[in-house]
């Protein structure tokens, strides 16, 4: 009998995943992770870890499976949170959920599961895995979840073949209402629990307060750039990938000072909340972040040209292929479906690979291309590769 360690989080998805595995005849062991201790910036009432622990233990008891506890908070701090602080300090916006899966759930947690004798590690992610053979070699395909509204394949865009070989996603071919229904039918304690939100294992936070643990508040100017700014009218050769992927570079003299902020590094491209400047015909959105000079650039309205970019760049060392057999060589290009944030509908574009890394050119300009986030490319329903957006 194959032994599967399920990451039991205290939520309904992993609870039903555990139930399904047991029904399928696996030897199931529940392992609960505690990955965060500090409550600085955490919004009150947002499912603190001890509630998660209690619900996870109740589910394990109901399913009559062994329950284990592991504290991975040191690994989480060093490999996820410190990276977050570093990226925000540079004016970039990291994705801690992608990092958490790559560095914690399918690395530190996986190793702990293997120490318990596991053959596989299971999670409650809405995604699927398939095994195929090409020229006598086995490859693992990461596929989008059947429930398009809950598909979480994007969060796993940095996994490797080795990590996928050990992974199981029991609810990947289900839709959320059916997961809830099964949980209710089996009288699982998590059946009515709300889905978790916010930073992986930290929860919902007041981001500036959370970041001020390591990043100091620093007052600076908010500069509004008009939609008529001359830089938007410049023509760029469509074959000049480097120029095409360059973000707009604003100067303070390009606009007018409309307010003050408490740290440019606390903001992200496309952000609306927290600017706190009123009296404008349309809402203001962040269109540029100058950390060196601590200036926040903003523009009026959802359609401001500063919110849109045609292309992005990924450094050579940040190009990651889940399917190494589909890797593009230098000088090659291929059309893919692309996503630059969770829940974003897949977009059409072309991935070009050069000696300077990867360039993704979209068919239509994209809103809120943000350095530090992950771009993931799909071939149909299969997530093939990803990379950190450099610019």
């Amino acid at each position: 009998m194959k032994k599967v360690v399920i990451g039991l989080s205290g939520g309904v998805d992993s609870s039903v995943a555990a139930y399904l595995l047991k029904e399928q005849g696996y030897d199931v062991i529940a392992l609960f992770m505690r990955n965060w201790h500090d409550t600085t910036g955490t919004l009150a009432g947002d499912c603190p870890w001890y509630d998660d622990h209690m619900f996870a233990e109740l589910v394990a008891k109901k399913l009559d499976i062994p329950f284990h506890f592991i504290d991975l908070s040191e690994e989480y701090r060093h490999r996820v949170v410190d990276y977050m602080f570093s990226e925000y300090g540079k004016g970039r916006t990291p994705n801690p959920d992608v990092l958490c899966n790559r560095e914690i759930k399918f690395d530190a947690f996986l190793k702990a599961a293997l120490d318990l004798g596991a053959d596989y590690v299971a999670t409650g992610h809405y995604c699927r895995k398939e095994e195929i053979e090409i020229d006598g070699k086995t490859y693992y395909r990461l596929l989008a979840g059947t429930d398009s509204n809950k598909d979480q394949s994007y969060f796993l865009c940095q996994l490797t073949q080795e990590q996928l070989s050990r992974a199981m996603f029991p609810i990947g071919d289900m839709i959320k209402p059916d997961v809830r229904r099964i949980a209710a039918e089996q009288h699982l304690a998590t059946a009515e629990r709300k889905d978790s939100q916010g930073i992986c294992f930290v929860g919902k936070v007041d981001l500036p307060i959370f970041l001020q643990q390591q990043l100091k508040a620093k007052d600076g100017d908010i500069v509004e750039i008009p939609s008529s700014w001359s830089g938007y009218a410049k023509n760029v050769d469509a074959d000049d990938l480097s120029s095409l992927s360059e973000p707009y570079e604003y100067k303070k003299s390009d606009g007018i000072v409309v307010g003050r902020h408490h740290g440019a590094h606390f903001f992200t491209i496309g952000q609306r909340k927290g600017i706190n400047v009123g009296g404008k015909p349309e809402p203001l959105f962040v269109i540029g972040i100058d950390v060196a000079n601590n200036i926040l650039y903003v523009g009026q309205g959802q359609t401001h040209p500063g919110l849109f970019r045609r292309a992005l760049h990924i450094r050579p060392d940040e190009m990651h292929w889940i399917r190494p057999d589909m890797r593009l060589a230098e000088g090659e290009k291929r059309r893919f479906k692309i996503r630059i944030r969770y829940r974003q509908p897949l977009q059409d574009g072309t991935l070009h690979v050069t000696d300077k890394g990867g360039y993704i050119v979209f068919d239509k300009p994209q809103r809120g291309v943000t350095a530090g986030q992950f771009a993931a490319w799909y071939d149909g329903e299969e997530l093939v590769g990803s990379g950190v957006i450099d610019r």
Side-chain angles (χ1 to χ4, degrees):
M1 185 185 296
K2 293 289 187 181
K3 184 178 287 187
V4 181
V5 167
I6 173 81
L8 207 58
S9 66
V12 67
D13 297 327
S14 62
S15 301
V16 171
Y19 164 75
L20 293 173
L21 288 168
K22 188 173 181 187
E23 285 294 292
Q24 292 163 12
Y26 290 101
D27 179 8
V28 184
I29 297 174
L31 184 56
F32 176 87
M33 287 179 278
R34 183 181 184 186
N35 286 355
W36 194 245
H37 292 263
D38 196 339
T39 58
T40 302
T42 303
L43 300 182
D46 182 57
C47 303
W49 78 271
Y50 44 84
D51 283 355
D52 294 336
H53 181 276
M54 178 188 70
F55 274 97
E57 199 161 9
L58 285 171
V59 168
K61 186 173 182 180
K62 177 69 175 177
L63 296 177
D64 192 26
I65 58 177
F67 182 84
H68 295 267
F69 172 94
I70 186 171
D71 191 320
L72 295 174
S73 53
E74 280 302 307
E75 290 90 340
Y76 186 79
R77 176 178 287 279
H78 293 315
R79 297 165 70 170
V80 178
V81 177
D82 286 351
Y83 177 85
M84 277 181 58
F85 286 133
S86 174
E87 287 287 274
Y88 273 108
K90 298 171 186 172
R92 294 159 60 90
T93 305
N95 190 310
D97 294 296
V98 173
L99 284 172
C100 181
N101 284 307
R102 184 184 76 187
E103 300 290 334
I104 305 300
K105 291 179 184 175
F106 290 94
D107 191 333
F109 180 84
L110 173 60
K111 289 172 183 173
L114 295 177
D115 287 342
L116 289 173
D119 296 293
Y120 298 100
V121 161
T123 66
H125 283 102
Y126 286 86
C127 60
R128 296 170 292 144
K129 183 183 88 171
E130 278 187 3
E131 187 176 319
I132 59 171
E133 191 173 295
I134 300 175
D135 297 329
K137 184 171 181 179
T138 298
Y139 291 96
Y140 300 94
R141 304 176 72 212
L142 177 62
L143 306 176
T146 298
D147 188 339
S148 58
N149 189 50
K150 293 295 292 182
D151 170 38
Q152 294 173 309
S153 57
Y154 175 80
F155 288 138
L156 305 178
C157 69
Q158 286 278 292
L159 295 193
T160 65
Q161 284 289 298
E162 175 60 28
Q163 289 170 319
L164 273 177
S165 73
R166 298 283 191 173
M168 294 182 74
F169 308 112
I171 64 169
D173 59 355
M174 299 178 64
I175 60 173
K176 185 75 177 198
D178 286 344
V179 171
R180 290 278 186 196
R181 176 181 55 78
I182 290 174
E185 289 173 354
Q186 298 306 314
H187 305 290
L188 300 181
T190 53
E192 300 298 326
R193 258 198 123 193
K194 291 183 179 179
D195 292 342
S196 60
Q197 294 180 317
I199 299 171
C200 183
F201 290 115
V202 177
K204 294 189 75 172
V205 298
D206 183 319
L207 192 60
I209 292 176
F210 181 78
L211 292 175
Q212 282 177 41
Q213 294 176 77
Q214 291 191 24
L215 303 177
K216 291 183 179 179
K218 183 181 178 184
D219 290 352
D221 287 328
I222 300 174
V223 176
E224 182 184 348
I225 302 294
S227 58
S228 59
W229 178 61
S230 60
Y232 299 135
K234 290 180 182 176
N235 289 319
V236 178
D237 185 346
D239 294 323
D240 185 353
L241 297 174
S242 181
S243 297
L244 204 61
S245 64
E246 286 289 343
Y248 299 116
E249 292 191 8
Y250 306 107
K251 300 189 300 293
K252 194 172 181 178
S253 58
D254 292 329
I256 57 170
V257 176
V258 293
R260 299 280 285 173
H261 62 78
H262 300 302
H265 46 261
F266 296 143
F267 292 84
T268 188
I269 300 297
Q271 181 173 335
R272 175 182 173 181
K273 292 182 178 180
I275 297 173
N276 297 326
V277 175
K280 299 288 180 180
E282 295 185 85
L284 293 174
F285 294 86
V286 176
I287 60 172
I289 300 167
D290 180 351
V291 171
N293 296 299
N294 198 31
I295 299 173
L296 193 67
Y297 292 102
V298 298
Q300 271 191 60
Q302 297 260 16
T303 59
H304 191 284
L307 287 169
F308 295 87
R309 295 255 307 278
R310 180 72 191 281
L312 59 84
H313 173 252
I314 300 168
R315 296 201 323 257
D317 59 323
E318 294 286 4
M319 293 287 292
H320 173 71
W321 293 88
I322 295 176
R323 282 284 301 280
D325 59 309
M326 296 179 69
R327 184 190 307 271
L328 298 183
E330 283 185 20
E332 291 186 327
K333 64 180 180 179
R334 182 175 171 182
R335 289 188 60 77
F336 286 105
K337 295 285 188 178
I338 298 143
R339 176 172 286 144
I340 58 173
R341 67 181 67 86
Y342 178 51
R343 287 190 178 277
Q344 181 200 29
L346 290 170
Q347 305 293 309
D348 292 312
T350 302
L351 172 61
H352 303 253
V353 176
T354 75
D355 61 338
K356 293 181 174 61
Y359 293 91
I360 291 176
V361 181
F362 295 97
D363 291 7
K364 297 179 180 178
Q366 294 298 301
R367 189 181 192 278
V369 175
T370 307
Q373 290 283 291
F374 288 85
W377 44 95
Y378 291 72
D379 180 14
E381 60 181 358
E382 179 179 7
L383 204 170
V384 175
S386 67
V388 180
I389 299 171
D390 175 48
R391 63 175 189 269

